[in-house]
Amino acid sequence: MYFSALAASKAFDRIDHSKLIDKLCERNLPACVINTIANWYCKLSSVVRWNGVYSSQFSVGCGVRQGGILSPLLFNIILMT
């Protein structure tokens, strides 16, 4: 069971943002919903802090937000289509 939970959490990290937006468009969601989600995920960047030192900024092109309310739904949309 532990392995299954770990595998599922890794799968959430592998959702390609551009494919996610394409799937939302295929489902004919309202443009305002698609645009909002696209703004959350497209051109996303991050930094890492280790021992008080920050890394350079890098782009994040895949994965749904950890702890996001919509993350399980977005993950299921990718799986179901």
Side-chain angles (χ1 to χ4, degrees):
M1 182 168 163
Y2 176 75
F3 178 75
S4 301
L6 181 61
S9 68
K10 292 295 181 188
F12 275 75
D13 295 340
R14 289 180 166 71
I15 301 296
D16 183 272
H17 294 165
S18 60
K19 289 181 183 178
L20 172 63
I21 302 306
D22 290 343
K23 295 293 183 181
L24 296 175
C25 291
E26 288 174 12
R27 290 201 169 262
N28 296 317
L29 291 172
C32 61
V33 172
I34 295 170
N35 289 336
T36 299
I37 294 171
N39 284 330
W40 284 342
Y41 284 101
C42 293
K43 299 181 182 175
L44 186 64
S45 63
S46 189
V47 296
V48 174
R49 185 177 76 169
W50 182 262
N51 288 335
V53 178
Y54 290 89
S55 71
S56 299
Q57 188 172 345
F58 57 93
S59 62
V60 178
C62 60
V64 291
R65 294 177 182 264
Q66 182 179 4
I69 294 172
L70 290 178
S71 295
L73 176 64
L74 297 174
F75 181 75
N76 285 332
I77 286 173
I78 290 290
L79 288 183
M80 295 171 60
T81 56

